[in-house]
Amino acid sequence: SIMHFASAFAPSVRSISGRSSILPKFTRAYTSSSKSTAQSEVVLKAHDPSKSYDVIIIGGGHAGSEAATASARTGARTLLLTQKVSTLGELSCNPSIGGIGKGHLVREIDALNGVMGDVADASGIHFRMLNRRKGPAVRGPRAQMDRDLYKDNMQHLLLNGDWMGMENLSVLEASAEDLLLDEGEGIETLTPFSEPGSDDDLSSSSNSGEASRLEKAKASSSAKATADDRRARIRGVVAIDSATNERIEIESSTVVLTTGTFLRGVLMIGHERYSGGRHLRDSEEVEPPS
């Protein structure tokens, strides 16, 4: 048996969430010579240009994986766009889940039926409760992962669409380049037309100092567009298919951006600098920046 990092909060609980794992098919047995479970069992289907989706998730990191699984399990037709399917679930060079601050975050994700905690339970090699001698408020559950096993387990969850609601999830290896928008009169938007620090706000303020602060905030606001400029609604995503290098347009009424830490990423080794997200293991290649 394995000590999971919920046990310090509830000694009778054997897993992070206290419920049965959502990963009944996973095994902790792993050898470095074995192939990726997900990659050996799953072949990605060609994208159907005529198909539209309820939700498109851009990015296949931690946030993208959670967004994709949450969306798919609600019954929404969901597409996960990622530049490399082989790096879904890839951890950093320090493959830990949790910690003093993020341990609480993982528990919160788990309480909302997220997948990170369960995949960590299935992939961990060392579990520890930090600050155990102190009060519960500052304790931090942390687990060290087997990087290959974590990646395999996450890919197995995302790419095997026959269980846990993942039949609603499609994965496309492509690079998102732009957003498709419907613009014009009569299009409703969730963006409020009134500016922070509008004239109504200023006139209702009895404090002249507060009025001055609001006026400066209004002047420096990046959201100065008029109501006419804001009449736009998301219609989909423009992407470059990694397999064919063709430009494709994918329609959806909802787009979730989970670009992670690779935005305009720059790798620096000594005096050498070049664009990239991170180096791929056992290779000279790098993951492209977002």
Side-chain angles (χ1 to χ4, degrees):
S1 63
I2 305 162
M3 186 197 78
H4 299 289
F5 43 108
S7 58
F9 292 101
S12 61
V13 174
R14 304 297 299 186
S15 67
I16 294 175
S17 58
R19 52 181 165 78
S20 298
S21 173
I22 67 169
L23 310 174
K25 298 182 180 180
F26 288 171
T27 174
R28 294 181 53 78
Y30 174 78
T31 60
S32 59
S33 60
S34 65
K35 292 183 179 180
S36 165
T37 301
Q39 293 300 311
S40 61
E41 294 181 0
V42 177
V43 177
L44 294 182
K45 297 179 181 179
H47 170 64
D48 182 358
S50 63
K51 186 175 182 179
S52 62
Y53 297 88
D54 298 316
V55 180
I56 294 177
I57 313 295
I58 299 177
H62 289 306
S65 299
E66 297 291 349
T69 53
S71 174
R73 282 191 283 186
T74 65
R77 293 168 301 167
T78 305
L79 176 67
L80 174 60
L81 277 181
T82 180
Q83 292 179 329
K84 277 185 174 291
V85 171
S86 62
T87 60
L88 286 173
E90 183 74 80
L91 293 173
S92 67
C93 54
N94 177 23
S96 65
I97 298 293
I100 297 298
K102 289 186 287 185
H104 292 275
L105 181 61
V106 176
R107 295 295 302 282
E108 290 172 359
I109 292 173
D110 193 80
L112 295 172
N113 207 28
V115 298
M116 177 185 285
D118 281 300
V119 176
D121 277 355
S123 314
I125 57 177
H126 181 264
F127 295 82
R128 183 180 179 185
M129 181 64 68
L130 305 179
N131 286 343
R132 187 184 294 272
R133 295 181 181 181
K134 299 182 181 180
V138 294
R139 292 174 188 166
R142 184 186 68 191
Q144 293 295 126
M145 298 292 107
D146 180 312
R147 290 182 72 188
D148 297 292
L149 193 55
Y150 186 94
K151 182 172 70 170
D152 285 356
N153 287 341
M154 183 62 79
Q155 289 183 16
H156 187 87
L157 175 65
L158 294 173
L159 302 178
N160 283 276
D162 59 345
W163 58 292
M164 289 304 301
M166 293 304 104
E167 64 272 6
N168 300 312
L169 176 63
S170 300
V171 179
L172 176 63
E173 196 169 71
S175 176
E177 300 294 324
D178 203 352
L179 299 176
L180 295 173
L181 299 175
D182 279 333
E183 300 178 88
E185 294 293 330
I187 293 180
E188 297 179 358
T189 174
L190 295 177
T191 307
F193 290 154
S194 60
E195 295 290 347
S198 62
D199 293 339
D200 292 339
D201 295 332
L202 294 176
S203 61
S204 63
S205 174
S206 58
N207 188 317
S208 60
E210 178 68 6
S212 176
R213 188 189 68 79
L214 290 173
E215 189 64 34
K216 290 180 180 179
K218 178 180 177 181
S220 62
S221 174
S222 61
K224 297 179 182 177
T226 64
D228 290 336
D229 294 330
R230 292 185 182 181
R231 295 191 186 278
R233 179 173 55 208
I234 194 73
R235 183 168 62 84
V237 171
V238 177
I240 303 298
D241 192 313
S242 298
T244 63
N245 206 32
E246 293 181 354
R247 180 183 184 274
I248 55 177
E249 294 186 359
I250 312 170
E251 293 191 353
S252 175
S253 59
T254 305
V255 176
V256 180
L257 301 177
T258 62
T259 51
T261 59
F262 289 1
L263 282 174
R264 294 185 180 179
V266 177
L267 299 175
M268 292 173 282
I269 302 178
H271 294 290
E272 187 178 3
R273 296 166 55 96
Y274 48 92
S275 297
R278 73 174 150 224
H279 274 274
L280 296 174
R281 284 184 289 165
D282 304 320
S283 171
E284 294 297 325
E285 297 183 16
V286 298
E287 291 189 53
S290 300

